[in-house]
Amino acid sequence: MNSRNLVKLFLTTLLIGGVTGGVVGFLARWSEFKPYFSSFEVSAILSTFIWLFGVGLIFSVISQAGFFAYLTIHRFGLGIFKSASLWNAVQLVLILFVVFDLVYLRYLSFGSGEGISSYIVLALVVLAAGLITAYFKMKQTNKQSFIPALFFMVVVTVLEWVPVLKTNDEGWLYFMLFPLLVCNAYQLLVLGKLIEISQKELADRRERKQTPAKGKMKAGQLGKGS
């Protein structure tokens, strides 16, 4: 990918994270911000949205760091296991392990006196988002991309989510989760298209460089003939 499209990916993901953070922040912490809308305090609503937007930008940066880290890990994994199918099997085991821990370990830490259903639901949200994104990624490319895409959407998202998971604040859990999921899904699905555009731009640039050279050569040949 060339630098122009890399910057484009960074800025668009940043904007998506900010907007998603602003919208989801109001919904996830509605009980806290509802009075602003009830009394129609425009200045309070705007200032709160700007703050939520800024936090969403931070979530977006975390998402992008995790994305490029995974691209490196993926190549490293392929190099170690020497087989895409074997590396996919390892990733599938890790996905199952992380989903189980997302339910079981959180329930052990915070679930005293309450049911486990809410912990299962949250894990299913992450898994469902991963399955949907992985399906569309597979449609874009091939069947081999399904497990890596699912691994990124589940395992990497949960790792990025760890700081808020430790606090177990419901408002912050959803406030951080959805911007991460949206940013991660966007980067995963748009990457192939940006790489394709970059390759096309590179080919066009090479063709433009070769065309003047051919023109000069023909002019030189005509000069010799005269």
Side-chain angles (χ1 to χ4, degrees):
M1 189 189 303
N2 59 30
S3 58
R4 187 171 70 86
N5 286 315
L6 190 62
V7 171
K8 180 180 178 181
L9 176 63
F10 172 76
L11 293 177
T12 51
T13 308
L14 201 66
L15 180 61
I16 288 170
V19 172
T20 307
V23 174
V24 174
F26 277 120
L27 297 175
R29 303 172 64 188
W30 180 247
S31 59
E32 182 179 344
F33 301 128
K34 183 179 178 180
Y36 298 160
F37 291 89
S38 300
S39 56
F40 200 65
E41 298 178 30
V42 177
S43 60
I45 293 172
L46 287 176
S47 61
T48 303
F49 179 81
I50 291 171
W51 180 79
L52 294 172
F53 183 89
V55 178
L57 296 181
I58 297 172
F59 295 159
S60 172
V61 171
I62 293 172
S63 167
Q64 295 187 64
F67 181 61
F68 286 101
Y70 173 69
L71 292 179
T72 304
I73 292 170
H74 182 61
R75 287 297 171 189
F76 189 64
L78 288 173
I80 290 176
F81 293 101
K82 307 295 183 183
S83 167
S85 57
L86 181 57
W87 172 227
N88 282 348
V90 172
Q91 290 181 96
L92 184 57
V93 171
L94 292 173
I95 291 168
L96 296 174
F97 179 76
V98 168
V99 171
F100 174 77
D101 280 353
L102 185 58
V103 176
Y104 183 67
L105 292 183
R106 288 188 64 241
Y107 180 70
L108 286 181
S109 300
F110 306 108
S112 57
E114 59 179 303
I116 197 173
S117 58
S118 61
Y119 297 89
I120 295 175
V121 168
L122 200 57
L124 288 177
V125 168
V126 177
L127 185 59
L131 289 169
I132 293 169
T133 305
Y135 172 79
F136 284 106
K137 184 64 178 179
M138 180 182 68
K139 287 293 185 181
Q140 282 184 351
T141 53
N142 52 59
K143 292 181 179 179
Q144 289 293 327
S145 66
F146 183 85
I147 297 299
L150 183 61
F151 180 89
F152 172 68
M153 288 299 298
V154 174
V155 176
V156 177
T157 298
V158 170
L159 290 175
E160 294 167 345
W161 198 25
V162 164
V164 173
L165 284 174
K166 290 181 177 179
T167 64
N168 201 44
D169 182 293
E170 186 175 355
W172 277 93
L173 282 173
Y174 289 103
F175 178 32
M176 186 175 189
L177 174 62
F178 285 100
L180 287 178
L181 288 175
V182 172
C183 289
N184 285 344
Y186 172 76
Q187 291 176 99
L188 195 62
L189 295 176
V190 82
L191 180 65
K193 184 178 181 180
L194 289 178
I195 290 175
E196 185 179 336
I197 292 172
S198 297
Q199 290 174 343
K200 185 178 179 181
E201 289 175 349
L202 180 61
D204 291 342
R205 194 178 299 116
R206 287 174 178 171
E207 187 177 346
R208 285 196 299 268
K209 287 181 179 180
Q210 290 173 356
T211 302
K214 290 179 180 178
K216 290 179 181 179
M217 186 181 296
K218 289 180 179 179
Q221 290 172 348
L222 288 172
K224 289 180 181 179
S226 62

